Amino acid sequence: MERIGILGGTFDPPHLGHLLIAEEVRLVMELQEVWFIPTYTPPHKNAAKSNAADRINMLRLATDSNSFFKVNTIEIERPGKSYTLDTMKILKQKFPDKDFYFIIGADMVEYLPNWYKVDELFSLVNFIGVKRAGYQLKTKYPVTEVDIPMIDISSSMLRRWLRSKRSVNYIVPDAVISYIKENNLYEN
């Protein structure tokens, strides 16, 4: 069975934290690929600040240099709230030869009891948890912990920086920064 990592999120914008998490988990867990799955609307957050097409374009630019990274638009193609359970059911049906590893930060590990039909979800996918500042990796659920270098950045912080014209060099891939500037994203 091919081992595939799944990293979901709004990726609004994608940043080096996302890429570092994906690469570290890929190496430690010996995954063949990591699929980045941008969500249309996450059930636990407000809608994304930039549109789906821009987020997909930025994510492709961010992941292009790593042949182990793929962008999968399954949740964008299904507008509305994106529940991980629905996504994983479709992926398991479409790819029965793949074993999926869902990568989440410690903030989401703590939130697992609130996930939609979380017990059913655990029958479909393995969970990998990574540390995040201010959160514990504690849960009653079977989550495999992967130790990664801590980088305390978030897309919401980067959007604030971009609005205030603060540099995001070395935090956001250069190609993504160019795309943001060319398309006047996050200015207001």
Side-chain angles (χ1 to χ4, degrees), residues 29-183:
M29 297 301 297
E30 299 177 349
L31 304 175
Q32 277 70 44
E33 292 179 341
V34 175
W35 295 356
F36 289 74
I37 301 183
T39 186
Y40 192 79
T41 306
H44 60 282
K45 287 184 180 176
N46 295 326
K49 303 301 178 211
S50 55
N51 68 48
D54 284 329
R55 291 185 294 118
I56 291 168
N57 290 335
M58 287 188 289
L59 198 49
R60 286 195 171 122
L61 290 168
T63 59
D64 255 0
S65 64
N66 190 323
S67 62
F68 298 103
F69 292 172
K70 307 289 183 241
V71 176
N72 183 310
T73 58
I74 183 173
E75 290 192 355
I76 297 289
E77 294 158 14
R78 217 178 56 234
K81 296 264 186 216
S82 296
Y83 291 102
T84 304
L85 178 66
D86 299 332
T87 301
M88 293 316 304
K89 281 181 176 177
I90 293 166
L91 290 177
K92 291 291 280 184
Q93 185 178 18
K94 213 171 176 180
F95 304 101
D97 59 327
K98 299 192 185 326
D99 214 4
F100 291 104
Y101 293 80
F102 203 86
I103 305 163
I104 58 175
D107 54 332
M108 286 292 108
V109 170
E110 287 185 10
Y111 194 74
L112 277 172
N114 303 307
W115 282 38
Y116 177 71
K117 297 188 178 180
V118 69
D119 294 321
E120 187 179 346
L121 181 58
F122 269 90
S123 71
L124 296 175
V125 66
N126 306 289
F127 273 81
I128 307 295
V130 297
K131 289 183 181 148
R132 188 160 185 182
Y135 296 92
Q136 301 288 315
L137 263 172
K138 292 188 178 164
T139 182
K140 67 177 185 173
Y141 295 100
V143 175
T144 302
E145 181 179 338
V146 171
D147 196 25
I148 62 162
M150 291 286 284
I151 295 185
D152 191 17
I153 55 177
S154 68
S155 294
S156 58
M157 175 192 84
L158 295 173
R159 288 191 304 270
R160 280 193 308 276
W161 285 15
L162 287 160
R163 275 193 306 274
S164 68
K165 307 288 189 234
R166 182 173 170 178
S167 170
V168 293
N169 290 341
Y170 312 110
I171 302 172
V172 174
D174 291 343
V176 175
I177 293 172
S178 295
Y179 186 91
I180 289 168
K181 287 177 181 173
E182 287 165 16
N183 292 280

